[in-house]
Amino acid sequence: MRVLVSGGAGYIGSHTVLSLLEAGHDVVVVDDFSNSKPTVQGRLEALSGKHVPFHAFDLTNTEKTEQLFTHEQIDAVVHFAGFKAVGESVSEPLRYYQNNLDATFSLLRAMERTGVTKFVFSSSATVYGEHAPVPYQEEYEHLSASSPYGQTKVVIERVLADVAAVHEGWRIALLRYFNPVGAHPSGRIGEDPQGIPNNLMPFIAQVAVGRRERLTVFGDDYPTADGTCERDYIHVMDLAEGHVAALEHLEELAEPVRAFNLGTGRGTSVLEMVHAFERAAGRELPYEVGPRRPGDLAAFWADPARANTELGWRATRTIDEICADTWRWQSANPRGYPDA
Ligand code: WQD
């Protein structure tokens, strides 16, 4: 299939582009580079040995988006593009709602007008909010997010269900990720957050490579084995392969719109991750224990059984592989991707 990957220059998007190409699909990328770099295109083409057309514009421009669909003969869409910083979304809710929703509406309009019926959506476990029966998450349907970012995912999932209900033949997979981490084993693509990382793994990697002085562990007094929070960390290559599996199973979905948890089904604590990274990097990681971060749950991980059985997909990579691949990327690219 000829697949349009929105946000394909981003962290999960770029790894999914590679997995789609390796599975024999053609890929077209659209990205506005608001949180990624154009140099990703060269890395993807070198790794895949294939030409990967990049279109650089903002998807909220509906006219340009429709022209893209007409010009590129798209068969399916994998949609990552969107703002995703939880904290930033709290201080800039309107910017988040407008960007994330308008970009999606623009894609759906173009699909309607050009007869594209396959859609894979990058959703998030954040739609489970803090009221769901944690830590074990089946595809829980009483969605409620605690940030505007998470709410954009809840709203988009609702919009997709309503649009598919009036379009016979549309097939949509909603992929709810837990904690994406790791990098392609080549070390040529990886996570490159702009500014100070919010998430644990890029912060650890930047401490290990000397860009940051030390890690602050946000609380060690949680009701967990070692007192630090537990999360379902999934290797980004497992995640990318999950998108390919979802795309290739769209025609067999049990219902036109179906949600899948993409996770490992087990939790790893902050300190377990710190020590695994020390083993991978062969160096001590300086850290201090600070106060809890508001909103953090003690333990939160996936029940990936539906994805395992219905998509024939399973996360296979270990925490040690995650740390080794992350370290290979970060040590080879201490300041992330070059600007040009
Ligand atoms: C993991 C653990 C922190 C940084 C977030 C988003 C969620 C999803 C995945 C998009 C927590 C601890 C972190 C640090 C620390 N993103 N930590 N020191 O919060 O589970 O999920 O990313 O969909 O929406 O909320 O991930 O990596 O921020 O934190 O101790 O410097 O690491 O307290 O326990 P989180 P995270």
Side-chain angles (χ1 to χ4, degrees):
M1 285 183 268
R2 191 163 179 79
V3 186
L4 174 67
V5 178
S6 76
Y11 173 41
I12 304 168
S14 58
H15 288 78
T16 301
V17 166
L18 214 45
S19 291
L20 284 166
L21 292 168
E22 285 168 359
H25 298 287
D26 293 322
V27 175
V28 174
V29 168
V30 56
D31 201 304
D32 66 1
F33 302 124
S34 59
N35 191 29
S36 55
K37 302 250 180 84
T39 37
V40 171
Q41 179 181 20
R43 300 280 177 102
L44 289 174
E45 293 189 330
L47 284 167
S48 64
K50 296 180 181 175
H51 174 52
V52 185
F54 265 52
H55 296 268
F57 66 85
D58 183 338
L59 277 169
T60 58
N61 180 328
T62 302
E63 187 184 341
K64 272 197 159 188
T65 304
E66 192 172 330
Q67 285 167 2
L68 172 64
F69 274 69
T70 306
H71 173 69
E72 288 282 8
Q73 301 300 311
I74 302 302
D75 298 315
V77 177
V78 181
H79 179 33
F80 294 100
F83 297 154
K84 62 156 191 136
V86 173
E88 185 182 61
S89 77
V90 175
S91 55
E92 298 182 69
L94 187 54
R95 178 169 166 259
Y96 266 66
Y97 281 111
Q98 184 149 31
N99 180 72
N100 291 5
L101 299 186
D102 282 357
T104 306
F105 298 156
S106 193
L107 283 170
L108 295 175
R109 280 279 181 226
M111 287 171 66
E112 283 181 327
R113 291 179 183 148
T114 57
V116 177
T117 63
K118 293 178 174 63
F119 194 86
V120 174
F121 177 54
S122 164
S123 189
S124 165
T126 198
V127 302
Y128 291 127
E130 63 269 9
H131 305 301
V134 290
Y136 209 58
Q137 298 296 343
E138 294 184 350
E139 278 74 6
Y140 197 69
E141 292 312 326
H142 308 290
L143 306 184
S144 70
S146 50
S147 72
Y149 157 75
Q151 279 297 357
T152 67
K153 297 296 188 181
V154 172
V155 171
I156 291 170
E157 287 201 13
R158 177 72 265 164
V159 167
L160 291 172
D162 291 343
V163 169
V166 295
H167 286 301
E168 181 62 32
W170 278 37
R171 290 292 177 274
I172 298 177
L174 312 172
L175 304 185
R176 296 171 182 167
Y177 321 151
F178 283 70
N179 291 64
V181 287
H184 188 264
S186 66
R188 301 291 292 149
I189 59 173
E191 187 172 11
D192 181 19
Q194 310 304 302
I196 301 173
N198 299 309
N199 298 133
L200 178 67
M201 189 54 120
F203 205 104
I204 286 178
Q206 290 188 12
V207 169
V209 81
R211 273 180 73 180
R212 309 263 170 218
E213 193 177 334
R214 74 170 59 80
L215 171 74
T216 302
V217 174
F218 297 147
D220 66 351
D221 58 349
Y222 284 95
T224 59
D226 65 14
T228 63
C229 295
E230 296 169 350
R231 293 289 184 276
D232 189 326
Y233 295 101
I234 177 169
H235 195 297
V236 67
M237 290 310 296
D238 280 329
L239 205 49
E241 290 160 10
H243 286 73
V244 177
L247 179 74
E248 294 178 346
H249 282 76
L250 283 177
E251 293 302 338
E252 296 99 60
L253 290 186
E255 51 195 336
V257 183
R258 193 145 175 84
F260 296 93
N261 289 334
L262 294 190
T264 66
R266 60 185 176 278
T268 300
S269 77
V270 174
L271 287 180
E272 284 171 329
M273 189 65 89
V274 167
H275 298 320
F277 207 93
E278 288 177 325
R279 292 195 296 276
R283 60 184 65 182
E284 194 174 338
L285 198 95
Y287 72 87
E288 64 186 2
V289 178
R292 291 183 174 192
R293 180 173 69 174
D296 273 345
L297 299 173
F300 189 67
W301 60 83
D303 172 3
R306 179 186 289 183
N308 299 156
T309 51
E310 295 183 21
L311 302 182
W313 167 89
R314 183 175 298 276
T316 60
R317 291 155 176 101
T318 65
I319 292 295
D320 286 333
E321 286 176 272
I322 284 168
C323 292
D325 291 341
T326 303
W327 178 238
R328 193 174 306 108
W329 149 255
Q330 193 72 81
S331 53
N333 304 272
R335 308 207 67 79
Y337 291 109
D339 289 327

